[in-house]
Amino acid sequence: MNSDVALAPEADEADEAETRAPDPQDGADTSRRRWPRVLGALLTVALIATGGALYAEGRQLRDTPATANLALTDAEATTRVTGDVSSALGKIFSYGPGTTATTQKAAKEVLAGKALQQYATLFGQVERQSADQKLTLTTEVARAGVTRLTDDSAHLLVFLDQVYERRGRTPTTAAAQLTVTAELRDGRWWIVEIGFT
């Protein structure tokens, strides 16, 4: 009986030791419970970083020079400058032997700055030829495209169809290409520079 009594405390100690010993299954359960939290935190950080990068990229796209070009976004303003410039070019590059004074007057109403100086130089020669050769020139804008447009300036590429008529000869048709810079002044588009290409 004594042996039974002596054995009982040892058995209790063994049970306690067994209870205190770490169970490998318990560690695996704990790490399994922590893993979704860690994964969730990593995904949250990744989503925030991605969102920040996309926001920065979007800001860059909105702030590019292309988005500042109203020719790409404002059809009404683009149509207006194209119409004003086309009309002006038709007037200043159409003349006849008795209409050069009218053409010069029209030029002063649609040209300014460098374009007016360029035109004055060019038209001096034209005026003499028109009188000597009885030359008539009729110009129409075949196509005009606005390459850059802001609130007060525009750059255009313009294609002209021109018909030359000399008294007693068959009319000759020619094509011309111009680059034009225009500025909005007092509610009207003025041509300020003409590039002959």
Side-chain angles (χ1 to χ4, degrees):
M1 210 175 236
N2 286 342
S3 61
D4 287 341
V5 174
L7 287 175
E10 285 174 13
D12 287 344
E13 285 174 22
D15 286 346
E16 279 179 38
E18 211 174 280
T19 315
R20 280 186 242 140
D23 185 2
Q25 291 292 336
D26 285 348
D29 284 346
T30 304
S31 67
R32 276 190 213 133
R33 278 184 250 132
R34 282 189 205 156
W35 180 244
R37 287 186 199 143
V38 171
L39 184 59
L42 287 173
L43 283 173
T44 302
V45 169
L47 285 172
I48 290 170
T50 303
L54 289 173
Y55 176 77
E57 188 71 25
R59 293 254 331 161
Q60 281 183 336
L61 288 173
R62 283 192 300 273
D63 296 340
T64 61
T67 57
N69 185 358
L70 297 178
L72 303 174
T73 58
D74 192 337
E76 187 179 334
T78 304
T79 301
R80 182 173 174 214
V81 69
T82 302
D84 286 358
V85 168
S86 297
S87 174
L89 292 173
K91 288 176 185 174
I92 65 173
F93 290 121
S94 295
Y95 53 82
T99 63
T100 53
T102 305
T103 304
Q104 279 183 310
K105 184 181 176 193
K108 291 176 183 172
E109 295 171 358
V110 295
L111 301 178
K114 187 176 179 182
L116 189 56
Q117 295 168 358
Q118 290 172 304
Y119 188 79
T121 303
L122 177 69
F123 203 76
Q125 301 165 0
V126 167
E127 196 170 18
R128 285 190 299 277
Q129 286 178 346
S130 179
D132 294 345
Q133 301 174 14
K134 306 297 185 202
L135 177 64
T136 300
L137 175 66
T138 306
T139 300
E140 288 185 8
V141 173
R143 185 171 224 100
V146 181
T147 57
R148 180 112 181 105
L149 178 63
T150 65
D151 290 331
D152 58 2
S153 69
H155 298 276
L156 298 90
L157 180 61
V158 183
F159 297 93
L160 305 175
D161 283 337
Q162 297 183 302
V163 179
Y164 296 88
E165 296 180 67
R166 288 185 175 87
R167 188 178 289 170
R169 294 189 184 175
T170 306
T172 305
T173 303
Q177 180 180 324
L178 306 174
T179 57
V180 175
T181 302
E183 288 182 2
L184 187 63
R185 299 179 181 178
D186 301 323
R188 275 197 317 129
W189 285 99
W190 291 75
I191 297 173
V192 295
E193 190 170 352
I194 300 172
F196 298 92
T197 57

